[in-house]
Amino acid sequence: MALAGAVPANGQSLSPDQISTIDQAAAKALADTGVPAASIAIVRDGAIVYTKAYGFQRAGEPARTDARYSIASVGKQLTAAAVLILVDEGKLSLDDKVAKYLPDLTRANDVTIRQLLSHTSGYRDYWPQDYLFDDMTRPTTPTTTLDRWAKAPLDFEPGTQWQYSNTGYVVAGRIVELVSGQSLATFLKDHVFTRTGMHPVASDSELTRADPAGYGRDGLGPVHAIDQHGTGWGFAAGQFAMTAADLARWDISVIKQSVMSRAAYAAQQHEVVLANGVGTGYGLGVFVSEVNGHRLIQHNGGDEGFYTENRIFPDDGTAIVVAINGDFGNAHFTIADAIQGLLFADSSGVARARALYAMISGGRLDRAQLTANGAYYLSPLKLAEYRAGLAPLGNPKTVVQTQSGLRGGFTSERFVFDFGSRKLLVTIRAEPGSNGRIEEFMAAPIS
């Protein structure tokens, strides 16, 4: 069962066929994984054009679009924004040393705020587990977290490695509070949430029965309600809960660059490079990449019983938000992939993928279309095996392109082929150009 629906748009809206495709993809993802509920929001041309909730947020309670889901680590970009706003105000610098604000922390004279926000500080992550360890069932404070983890030896020299660290964000959050004289949540409310029309909560105590319960699943066992961690553990690393539409409003502010300076947005979305010159694929609180020529600013978040996926395509005025109340099954990725594929369909790439798949599944591949390596890899024996395994599936119902780029001088593309009863992840690498010879074709089941 689903409630809510299309939102009037100031820009490009979704067609009825697109809405139907999205609804079917979301419903199927929940059915396939057992995740109870999902809530989505879609932005086009810098405006929310669609919100909808699917499934049940609690036993017997239909999902609602005004329900608030934990966004967990998606909130790291909000913490980074708080720091950048203080930079805009001239109150601190990204290259300030931690020692200027928290001198008692390990190697505080060597670690910068930029390294905290880019996961290159070396501070040991306080929550690498995908479950609640015993201490997390009880309340904590940021100071307690820092005393335990940010005073331990560094895992590596600052700036030399990328390693996800919630601890670094707790340090950054405390710096915001010390510099601003406000709690992090209050600072963000004054500088971001009020300006964007967002209404998140920063404490589990503010959630009600109108909000979704979190669910888990062990292996292939039953789906069950899951306990939440004690207060204080999320803090600057991921303390907020909000509706999908609220998160979309933040995305719109990123697209329109409306709450920080242009320099601040550029700093947040610029890939941080390690001391050896290797890129990290991460900016300040966000992953940065490109898909089919579209710049992508992305982050996901995982909390006990919740997952969220947030994708912003700033140059296209587009964003995709998917929140679910299950920390299993990856339905948030599946739904987001389906929406992304629909909004950024590369008809030429999909058409070529369909044609190549048809040839391989039919065992009639023109070997002149292969590079030397491709001809070696796709031997007659392997082609026969592909034909035997793929031909019974018939023609795919849908083909969605999920990735495109260059690697090793070849185009590298990925597609999800959906046959209804089965999905395949198809990877194709080829020489650049519409008639480039095929270097690799690989099909693997994903469900």
Side-chain angles (χ1 to χ4, degrees):
M1 183 172 183
L3 298 179
V7 176
N10 296 322
Q12 185 180 10
S13 61
L14 299 175
S15 70
D17 285 346
Q18 288 176 316
I19 289 173
S20 177
T21 299
I22 291 168
D23 291 348
Q24 290 176 32
K28 187 175 188 305
L30 297 187
D32 288 347
T33 61
V35 170
S39 186
I40 69 169
I42 300 172
V43 173
R44 301 188 82 179
D45 289 347
I48 297 175
V49 297
Y50 195 59
T51 63
K52 195 160 185 178
Y54 309 84
F56 294 86
Q57 59 192 43
R58 292 175 182 271
E61 298 180 17
R64 300 161 49 103
T65 56
D66 60 355
R68 296 167 294 192
Y69 290 69
S70 169
I71 67 167
S73 288
V74 175
K76 285 182 169 64
Q77 59 201 277
L78 300 174
T79 299
V83 171
L84 288 164
I85 289 168
L86 291 173
V87 172
D88 281 343
E89 295 176 348
K91 295 179 179 178
L92 55 74
S93 166
L94 289 174
D95 296 317
D96 282 347
K97 303 294 186 183
V98 169
K100 184 175 180 179
Y101 310 98
L102 294 165
D104 294 338
L105 302 187
T106 299
R107 301 281 299 278
N109 283 311
D110 300 316
V111 178
T112 68
I113 294 176
R114 190 188 306 273
Q115 290 166 340
L116 296 174
L117 299 179
S118 60
H119 298 301
T120 59
S121 68
Y123 282 120
R124 181 166 300 168
D125 187 8
Y126 72 84
W127 192 6
Q129 301 90 345
D130 291 323
Y131 62 89
L132 296 184
F133 54 86
D134 183 48
D135 287 350
M136 295 189 76
T137 62
R138 295 177 286 276
T140 192
T141 66
T143 299
T144 300
T145 300
L146 296 185
D147 284 344
R148 181 170 174 181
W149 281 278
K151 293 183 179 179
L154 297 185
D155 283 347
F156 52 85
E157 285 296 307
T160 65
Q161 295 184 41
W162 188 91
Q163 180 177 284
Y164 199 85
S165 175
N166 290 291
T167 305
Y169 269 78
V170 175
V171 179
R174 283 294 295 132
I175 291 174
V176 170
E177 294 185 330
L178 292 169
V179 172
S180 70
Q182 297 178 291
S183 71
L184 176 63
T186 299
F187 182 87
L188 283 169
K189 179 181 179 181
D190 290 348
H191 291 79
V192 176
F193 301 150
T194 298
R195 295 178 63 182
T196 57
M198 299 168 65
H199 301 281
V201 294
S203 171
D204 290 344
S205 64
E206 298 179 67
L207 297 174
T208 70
R209 281 198 59 84
D211 298 304
Y215 291 86
R217 189 179 189 183
D218 301 315
L220 298 178
V223 175
H224 57 270
I226 197 166
D227 293 333
Q228 302 300 302
H229 52 70
T231 57
W233 285 97
F235 185 52
Q239 67 180 325
F240 293 104
M242 62 184 69
T243 67
D246 263 347
L247 186 50
R249 292 184 183 98
W250 161 254
D251 294 345
I252 291 170
S253 77
V254 174
I255 291 167
K256 296 184 176 181
Q257 299 192 351
S258 61
V259 299
M260 301 189 297
S261 68
R262 289 189 176 185
Y265 285 107
Q268 180 161 48
Q269 298 170 16
H270 180 73
E271 180 185 35
V272 171
V273 176
L274 300 177
N276 62 3
V278 174
T280 61
Y282 201 86
L284 305 180
V286 291
F287 290 93
V288 294
S289 61
E290 185 177 287
V291 177
N292 297 341
H294 302 273
R295 192 161 61 94
L296 171 62
I297 309 301
Q298 178 271 340
H299 215 291
N300 54 66
D303 203 348
E304 291 301 295
F306 296 92
Y307 275 141
T308 300
E309 174 72 356
N310 191 49
R311 301 178 185 179
I312 310 171
F313 297 87
D315 302 332
D316 300 280
T318 296
I320 301 165
V321 177
V322 181
I324 62 174
N325 65 338
D327 60 6
F328 60 93
N330 291 325
H332 57 314
F333 289 147
T334 301
I335 297 169
D337 284 347
I339 297 171
Q340 180 179 314
L342 191 66
L343 299 184
F344 294 99
D346 181 346
S347 58
S348 61
V350 169
R352 186 181 186 190
R354 281 182 176 275
L356 181 60
Y357 179 89
M359 286 192 292
I360 289 178
S361 62
R364 57 181 188 276
L365 179 62
D366 178 3
R367 304 193 72 79
Q369 295 187 30
L370 303 175
T371 65
N373 285 338
Y376 170 80
Y377 170 71
L378 285 170
S379 65
L381 176 60
K382 186 175 289 292
L383 187 60
E385 291 175 345
Y386 266 129
R387 180 184 181 184
L390 300 180
L393 295 176
N395 295 322
K397 292 184 176 180
T398 61
V399 177
V400 173
Q401 186 166 10
T402 62
Q403 182 266 335
S404 177
L406 292 173
R407 182 176 180 183
F410 297 98
T411 60
S412 179
E413 300 174 299
R414 288 184 177 177
F415 305 84
V416 174
F417 279 61
D418 190 343
F419 298 86
S421 62
R422 163 145 283 182
K423 289 183 180 179
L424 297 179
L425 178 64
V426 174
T427 301
I428 298 173
R429 292 187 173 89
E431 295 172 334
S434 59
N435 295 315
R437 294 177 300 166
I438 306 301
E439 174 79 0
E440 179 180 354
F441 171 94
M442 184 174 293
I446 54 176
S447 67

